[in-house]
Amino acid sequence: MKIGQFLLGLLIGFVVTLIGGCLYVELVTSFSFFKDMSFLIKSDLGGKVIAIGSLLNIAVVYLLLNKSYYDVVKGVLIALILLVVISQII
């Protein structure tokens, strides 16, 4: 396994989840993502935003598997597992 590609996958997983969560909060709810994030965490909505934001990773994994970037996909999947643990803690 190539460590550089694995770390790139981790970064892609976290960034895509951040983008997905931001899009969800901005487009669907009446909150602002960066301004109201502390309120979302205090009201037990932080984990749900992370879970919904991570749905975009499905498309990323699909595209990377079709291009045979297996080490990057491993990083994205580990990032998803870490995000599940983080969302359960929040």
Side-chain angles (χ1 to χ4, degrees):
M1 177 170 49
K2 298 177 184 172
I3 294 295
Q5 290 182 348
F6 178 76
L7 293 175
L8 177 66
L10 278 173
L11 181 67
I12 289 172
F14 287 126
V15 169
V16 168
T17 300
L18 179 70
I19 291 170
C22 184
L23 285 175
Y24 173 72
V25 170
E26 294 288 335
L27 297 177
V28 177
T29 66
S30 61
F31 298 115
S32 174
F33 183 75
F34 295 107
K35 191 166 62 172
D36 297 328
M37 192 59 185
S38 63
F39 171 73
L40 291 172
I41 291 173
K42 289 178 186 175
S43 63
D44 293 332
L45 295 174
K48 294 173 184 160
V49 170
I50 292 172
I52 291 173
S54 66
L55 290 175
L56 283 180
N57 284 324
I58 295 171
V60 171
V61 168
Y62 176 74
L63 291 173
L64 290 172
L65 281 175
N66 279 337
K67 295 194 181 267
S68 300
Y69 293 131
Y70 299 117
D71 291 330
V72 180
V73 171
K74 290 175 190 176
V76 173
L77 292 176
I78 295 297
L80 283 172
I81 292 170
L82 290 173
L83 286 167
V84 166
V85 171
I86 291 169
S87 68
Q88 291 301 313
I89 292 172
I90 291 178

